[in-house]
Amino acid sequence: MLLVIDIGNTSTVFAFYENETLVKSLRTKTGDYDEKTMKNIPYSIEAAAASSVVPEVNSQISEIIYSVFGCQVKFIDGLKDCGLSICTDYPERVGADIICGAAAAFSKYNSAVIVFDLGTATTVCAVDSSGRYLGHSISPGIKTSFSALHHYTALLPEITDDFVCEEVIGKNTVSSMKSGVLLGAACFIDGMSLRYKEAIGGEAVVVVTGGMAAEVLSYCREKCIYHENLLLEGIRVIYNRGL
């Protein structure tokens, strides 16, 4: 069985694959790792692969996985064979999470793809029909935006749940913040999809993933495909290419 690990800024997901089938997944706060939890996993792990955007926890993860399962964790970066040609100024600096999402989407659709990942940061990347990874955009994530509004203003409240926007034109502070952030995120997806397609020079499949994707997609007007486990699939795809 293959263990794939998605180490994000806020949370880490441990997923267990039997060939192409996702058998089980566990989510925990990044950095809050418990060896005892891993020891309770009733699976025989033969290999482990990881995407990490938090380098300082990589050694901790590696030590736990080796101690419990006896295998080394292989980490993905922009220089590994991911099935794409990374056409950026510094391929080694492209986030492993972005690469995994792009690799999974291109592998699945075998066409030009635009991938949005709505996490702590919101990222957009593009792959053309030839498999060239063209680059990406980075903006504040939805929860990050709500947090910034609260922490950097005197009167705006903190919003940590109930991410539902009921009106375009807000009638009170909370509804106004939700309109600005949630509908703003949907407009970001709609608008950036169009601009990315123009930059690519044709149509592309728009794929959305990430912890906040479900909350935002209902407000989008462009056609988008939601993939909850896109990054996990990307790690598996890249591992199978000989990581």
Side-chain angles (χ1 to χ4, degrees), residues 109-124:
Y109 295 104
N110 194 30
S111 69
V113 292
I114 299 167
V115 181
F116 291 83
D117 187 352
L118 279 59
T120 305
T122 293
T123 62
V124 195

Side-chain angles (χ1 to χ4, degrees), residues 7-14 26-34 57 60-61:
I7 306 171
N9 289 293
T10 302
S11 61
T12 296
V13 178
F14 298 88
L26 302 171
R27 181 180 296 270
T28 186
K29 181 179 179 182
T30 293
D32 185 19
Y33 306 125
D34 187 351
V57 305
Q60 180 186 7
I61 285 281

